[in-house]
């Protein structure tokens, strides 16, 4: 996960490499919480057991004060240039802009940060899984946040019972926007009907957390399993979207949930 929405304290990366269990000691609570789902999601949330094998998580941490978006993108490319041959799946629970503002859209219809990350995904043959962002009442957020408007990556939202968006959900505005793809792609149903998940925080304390940052790691687990099963990396987003469309064939595309809700059990996907 790439942590810190304001880029003022710490930047964190973690990614999947091999299916082994390793011990890690993350520095930030947010990175630790997201990591804990990728590593121990089934143990933390038995009701969400996805039957995925436990992946190996690598955490890259960079301490940097007042980092700019350009510096951040350069940092991402520097890390990819070193590790992309080994590491193909990257979870980015990150927001780099307050929201997708149509007046600031890249000329191709997506935000400039998402456009750059799409270029990096193609160049280094990696796949990013993004959280779609959360409402911030202070800024009256409406639309999903950059870079979750990426066309090549997977953008993940959250849902509760009765296929309803969580109260912190943001809209992809699928009927009005200029995107070439439906965003968010789909949603993960949260552990509880208040939109929360169980995570590890401060080393061993289990706590309840809300937000799409905690939905994307559940998708990252599934993508890692599919890659292990032999699926081609760039086919996985299409496969997952197709499964969601089939499972939700009686439902319309939803501005907040994309194509619908992804089954949590990997066996149902396979």
């Amino acid at each position: 996960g790439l942590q810190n929405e304001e880029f003022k304290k710490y930047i964190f990366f973690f990614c999947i490499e091999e299916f082994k269990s390793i011990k890690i000691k993350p520095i930030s609570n947010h990175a630790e919480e997201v990591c804990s789902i990728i590593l121990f999601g089934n143990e933390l949330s038995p009701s969400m057991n996805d039957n995925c094998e436990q992946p190996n998580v690598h955490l890259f941490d960079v301490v940097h004060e007042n980092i700019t978006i350009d510096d951040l993108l350069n940092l991402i490319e520097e890390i990819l240039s070193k590790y992309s041959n080994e590491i193909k799946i990257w979870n980015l629970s990150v927001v780099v802009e307050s929201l997708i503002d149509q007046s600031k859209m890249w000329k191709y219809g997506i935000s400039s940060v998402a456009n750059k990350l799409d270029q990096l995904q193609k160049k280094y043959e990696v796949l990013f899984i993004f959280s779609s962002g959360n409402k911030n009442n202070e800024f009256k957020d409406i639309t999903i946040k950059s870079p979750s408007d990426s066309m090549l990556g997977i953008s993940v939202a959250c849902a509760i019972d009765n296929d309803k968006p969580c109260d912190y959900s943001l809209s992809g505005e699928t009927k009005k926007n200029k995107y070439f793809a439906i965003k968010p792609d789909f949603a993960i149903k949260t552990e509880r009907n208040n939109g929360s998940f169980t995570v590890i925080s401060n080393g061993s304390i289990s706590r309840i957390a809300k937000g799409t940052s905690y939905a994307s790691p559940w998708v990252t687990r599934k993508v890692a399993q599919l890659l292990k099963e032999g699926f081609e990396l760039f086919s996985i987003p299409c496969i997952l979207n197709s499964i969601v469309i089939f499972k939700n064939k009686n439902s319309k595309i939803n501005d907040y949930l994309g194509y619908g809700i992804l089954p949590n059990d990997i066996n149902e996907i396979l």
Side-chain angles (χ1 to χ4, degrees):
L2 176 55
Q3 192 268 336
N4 194 311
E5 296 185 355
E6 297 179 352
F7 307 113
K8 293 181 180 177
K9 294 182 180 179
Y10 303 102
I11 305 300
F12 295 90
F13 276 86
F14 71 77
C15 53
I16 305 265
E17 185 180 4
E18 298 174 19
F19 279 71
K20 299 176 182 177
S21 176
I22 62 170
K23 293 182 178 179
I24 57 174
K25 188 177 182 181
I27 300 173
S28 95
N29 286 348
H30 183 273
E32 180 183 17
E33 290 162 3
V34 175
C35 265
S36 70
I37 293 177
I38 293 186
L39 277 173
F40 309 114
N42 289 341
E43 290 76 17
L44 289 169
S45 308
S47 65
M48 291 187 68
N49 191 325
D50 58 10
N51 289 305
C52 291
E53 298 180 43
Q54 188 181 59
N56 186 21
V57 175
H58 286 242
L59 176 67
F60 298 89
D61 60 299
V62 180
V63 178
H64 197 308
E65 297 256 344
N66 299 316
I67 189 169
T68 67
I69 291 177
D70 287 339
D71 287 342
L72 175 65
L73 292 172
N74 290 334
L75 175 61
I76 292 175
E77 181 158 22
E78 179 182 347
I79 293 175
L80 289 175
S81 68
K82 295 178 181 178
Y83 297 100
S84 61
N85 287 335
E86 304 171 73
I87 301 164
K88 292 298 181 184
I89 304 168
W90 300 76
N91 187 99
L92 277 75
S93 294
V94 60
V95 170
V96 300
E97 295 175 7
S98 61
L99 49 85
I100 308 299
D101 185 341
Q102 290 291 336
S103 66
K104 298 179 180 178
M105 295 294 282
W106 184 259
K107 64 180 179 179
Y108 296 116
I110 63 175
S111 63
S112 57
V113 177
N115 180 68
K116 176 62 176 179
L117 291 176
D118 279 352
Q119 292 176 16
L120 294 180
Q121 287 182 87
K122 288 189 289 186
K123 179 177 180 180
Y124 293 102
E125 298 183 333
V126 297
L127 179 62
F128 294 150
I129 294 89
F130 299 97
S131 56
S132 59
N134 310 311
K135 281 183 180 176
N136 184 328
N137 291 331
E138 180 181 353
F139 297 105
K140 297 181 180 180
D141 295 346
I142 299 174
T143 57
I144 60 172
K145 299 183 179 182
S146 175
S148 66
D149 55 321
S150 158
M151 290 195 294
L152 295 183
I154 297 174
S155 175
V156 185
C158 290
I160 57 175
D161 287 347
N162 300 318
D163 297 348
K164 293 182 178 180
C166 292
D167 57 9
Y168 49 77
S169 299
L170 295 173
S171 170
E173 295 191 319
T174 55
K175 297 177 182 178
K176 295 181 288 184
N177 67 26
K178 300 177 182 179
Y179 305 160
F180 294 105
I182 300 299
K183 296 294 172 177
D185 290 88
F186 46 74
I188 287 289
K189 186 167 286 188
T190 60
E191 184 178 358
R192 299 170 188 82
N193 214 35
N194 65 355
S196 66
F197 300 88
T198 303
V199 298
I200 294 174
S201 190
N202 293 321
S204 61
I205 300 173
S206 177
R207 84 172 187 92
I208 307 305
K210 291 184 178 182
T212 57
S213 286
Y214 309 109
S216 58
W218 282 100
V219 174
T220 300
R221 289 170 57 89
K222 296 168 183 51
V223 173
Q225 186 71 41
L226 291 173
L227 190 64
K228 178 181 181 291
E229 297 290 339
F231 290 89
E232 194 275 327
L233 182 66
F234 287 118
S235 72
I236 292 176
C238 297
I239 291 169
L240 293 180
N241 281 334
S242 297
I243 289 171
V244 173
I245 291 170
F246 177 77
K247 293 288 183 180
N248 298 273
K249 56 187 175 182
N250 294 324
S251 302
K252 296 180 180 180
I253 293 174
N254 186 299
D255 284 348
Y256 294 91
L257 306 179
Y259 290 111
I261 298 174
L262 180 71
N264 197 51
D265 192 333
I266 191 65
N267 292 323
E268 193 172 347
I269 294 172
L270 290 171

